[in-house]
């Protein structure tokens, strides 16, 4: 089974703090994604990466950055957390090519910014 | 207009009922279509892909209507364990651009 592991299930941070969300997948997937999920809005893509050191902006990249130094690890960084970044963050991975449509998600990281 | 729209529900149905969800998408060039299931406080998981000819997986039937730009999910003989949020997903531009609907919540009651 593909496993996508997010290091923190619940975080509480203060406005202005730097936040790191870590995601690791163990199936050698090329593609990795960060989404946020908010009630009534569904999942919105923040950033994705299709290779080591490669990254592409999604729909809502403002206030976020990412890092992919190793194939299995994709980190989401909030340089200066704000209250409107309180959300559920979901990491996902998929294969390149014909398997790219099938996303496997991590369990999510619920971030509260006070 | 949202790219992928779903009726948020909630749909409350008794066990054994048949329930159908629709999802509309705005981009006529969309290529691939899926239903994901998300249990409360859990991550989304792929339920089934939606093929042009329609497809069935046990009690679940998915259909695609390209002309009207909607996909549907039919659940027959509902079980308590079907209670979840069902997410409509459309691959719009390329393999890295999956668009999610906000989800339809289903509760199956005894």
């Amino acid at each position: 089974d593909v496993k996508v592991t997010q290091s923190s299930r619940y975080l509480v941070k203060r406005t202005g703090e730097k936040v790191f969300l870590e995601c690791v997948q163990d199936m050698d997937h090329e593609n990795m994604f960060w989404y946020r999920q908010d009630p009534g809005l569904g999942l919105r893509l923040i950033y994705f990466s299709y290779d080591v050191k490669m990254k592409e902006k999604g729909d809502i990249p403002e206030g976020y950055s990412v890092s992919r130094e190793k194939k299995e690890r994709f980190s989401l960084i909030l340089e200066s957390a704000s209250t409107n970044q309180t959300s559920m963050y979901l990491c996902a991975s998929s294969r390149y090519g014909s398997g790219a449509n099938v996303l496997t998600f991590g369990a999510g990281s619920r971030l509260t910014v006070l | 207009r949202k790219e992928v729209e779903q009726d948020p529900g909630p749909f409350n149905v008794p066990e054994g009922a048949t329930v159908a969800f629709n999802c509309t998408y705005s981009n006529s060039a969309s290529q691939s279509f899926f239903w994901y299931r998300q249990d409360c406080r859990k991550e989304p998981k792929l339920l089934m892909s939606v093929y042009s000819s329609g497809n069935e997986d046990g009690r679940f039937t998915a259909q695609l209507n390209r002309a009207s730009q909607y996909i549907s999910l039919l659940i027959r003989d509902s079980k308590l364990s079907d209670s979840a949020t069902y997410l409509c997903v459309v691959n719009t531009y390329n393999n890295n651009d999956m668009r999610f609907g906000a989800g339809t919540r289903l509760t199956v009651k005894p």
Side-chain angles (χ1 to χ4, degrees):
Chain A
D1 262 6
V2 176
K3 194 160 184 186
V4 179
T5 304
Q6 295 183 231
S7 55
S8 305
R9 289 299 307 274
Y10 300 95
L11 303 96
V12 180
K13 297 291 182 181
R14 296 202 177 275
T15 300
E17 282 193 83
K18 192 168 186 176
V19 182
F20 290 90
L21 299 179
E22 297 278 319
C23 175
V24 178
Q25 50 92 8
D26 64 2
M27 284 299 290
D28 203 34
H29 280 179
E30 291 81 8
N31 300 328
M32 296 190 75
F33 307 83
W34 275 106
Y35 289 89
R36 64 177 280 178
Q37 185 174 30
D38 300 288
L41 295 178
L43 278 77
R44 291 178 291 166
L45 183 63
I46 304 171
Y47 268 98
F48 66 93
S49 168
Y50 52 87
D51 202 351
V52 176
K53 297 193 186 294
M54 304 300 287
K55 60 184 179 184
E56 295 284 343
K57 292 180 180 179
D59 296 321
I60 50 164
E62 295 80 18
Y64 303 95
S65 61
V66 290
S67 172
R68 194 162 181 205
E69 296 296 318
K70 293 185 178 181
K71 189 175 185 179
E72 66 271 19
R73 188 179 299 269
F74 192 36
S75 303
L76 180 69
I77 303 144
L78 288 67
E79 293 290 342
S80 177
S82 62
T83 54
N84 62 14
Q85 292 178 310
T86 291
S87 187
M88 170 68 85
Y89 290 88
L90 289 160
C91 175
S93 71
S94 72
R95 292 197 180 286
Y96 185 75
S98 61
N101 287 323
V102 179
L103 298 174
T104 301
F105 285 89
S109 299
R110 184 166 292 281
L111 171 67
T112 301
V113 183
L114 302 175
Chain B
R1 184 186 169 191
K2 290 181 184 176
E3 289 198 52
V4 181
E5 294 206 63
Q6 296 181 250
D7 182 341
F11 284 65
N12 298 310
V13 303
E15 270 187 292
T18 295
V19 62
F21 311 134
N22 284 336
C23 164
T24 58
Y25 60 94
S26 60
N27 191 322
S28 59
S30 297
Q31 302 166 20
S32 310
F33 310 88
F34 309 88
W35 286 101
Y36 277 69
R37 170 193 169 129
Q38 186 172 23
D39 293 303
C40 188
R41 301 186 192 282
K42 301 276 190 178
E43 71 274 23
K45 293 185 178 178
L46 179 67
L47 177 66
M48 60 198 299
S49 302
V50 186
Y51 302 123
S52 297
S53 54
N55 48 298
E56 198 172 295
D57 183 2
R59 298 181 292 109
F60 298 83
T61 301
Q63 296 209 313
L64 167 65
N65 185 321
R66 284 191 185 271
S68 301
Q69 294 182 207
Y70 78 82
I71 67 174
S72 64
L73 178 67
L74 182 78
I75 306 175
R76 289 183 300 279
D77 188 23
S78 300
K79 313 289 184 194
L80 296 177
S81 57
D82 293 334
S83 297
T85 296
Y86 291 83
L87 304 174
C88 172
V89 185
V90 175
N91 184 335
T92 299
Y93 294 106
N94 56 53
N95 284 337
N96 293 322
D97 196 3
M98 307 280 276
R99 300 287 169 159
F100 286 77
T104 297
R105 193 155 62 107
L106 170 67
T107 301
V108 181
K109 303 194 173 197

